[in-house]
Amino acid sequence: MNQPPAVSSSFPESAGFLALLETSGNQQYVFSSNRLRDNLGASHLLKQVCGAWLDQAVRSETAVDVLYRTSGRALLFCSSRSPLEAVIASVTMEALVRAPGLIVTGAVTGWDSSAAVPGFTALGAVLRTLGLEIDRVAGEFPLSAGRFQRLPP
């Protein structure tokens, strides 16, 4: 039986790249209907982003390590940039096909455990950079409420 990739217990000391995969607008997506069946289905799809869909994408890119994951956010590490971009593209495409209206965004940046910025640890600086990049990328796309309307205007 295929087991999902394990979440790494230690943070990488070597240089490489970190990626942040994140969903946004989760409550709006889940509660876009007053039908319980729709709410439960949307919650299940939201869980799949950093669950089965991420596992499937990571299996195809064997060099990628999952450092942290929750139902709507995952932090990934790899020694090169392209496998991380491939994982983000795979999960995002899966969300576009199976969960229209769910906003999934990803960003990749370099990682050096010794590069701290005044006021931040190295990890804090990288997470701040990834958060700003995700906001920038998400701002380039139209809002999902305009693209996937559930009720007539």
Side-chain angles (χ1 to χ4, degrees):
M1 183 171 148
N2 288 339
Q3 294 294 324
V7 175
S8 298
S9 60
S10 61
F11 211 78
E13 294 295 324
S14 61
F17 293 88
L18 287 177
L20 183 62
L21 182 70
E22 186 174 78
T23 61
S24 60
N26 298 347
Q27 286 189 345
Q28 180 181 0
Y29 180 72
V30 171
F31 298 114
S32 63
S33 170
N34 61 357
R35 298 177 66 192
L36 179 61
R37 180 179 64 186
D38 293 345
N39 298 148
L40 293 175
S43 295
H44 174 74
L45 290 173
L46 184 63
K47 183 180 175 187
Q48 294 297 305
V49 172
C50 290
W53 300 346
L54 178 63
D55 291 342
Q56 180 181 355
V58 168
R59 278 191 199 102
S60 65
E61 299 292 335
T62 58
V64 175
D65 292 322
V66 178
L67 301 176
Y68 171 82
R69 84 168 81 194
T70 63
S71 63
R73 181 178 246 203
L75 185 63
L76 313 168
F77 175 79
C78 188
S79 58
S80 61
R81 185 181 193 94
S82 60
L84 293 172
E85 291 172 343
V87 167
I88 290 170
S90 175
V91 173
T92 303
M93 184 58 71
E94 196 73 26
L96 285 171
V97 171
R98 292 188 175 190
L102 180 61
I103 302 166
V104 180
T105 315
V108 180
T109 191
W111 164 252
D112 182 6
S113 61
S114 63
V117 175
F120 293 99
T121 63
L123 179 59
V126 167
L127 290 176
R128 183 172 186 263
T129 301
L130 286 169
L132 291 172
E133 182 64 14
I134 281 184
D135 289 345
R136 186 194 65 77
V137 169
E140 292 179 358
F141 296 99
L143 295 174
S144 63
R147 292 181 293 145
F148 302 103
Q149 296 180 356
R150 293 188 52 98
L151 301 173

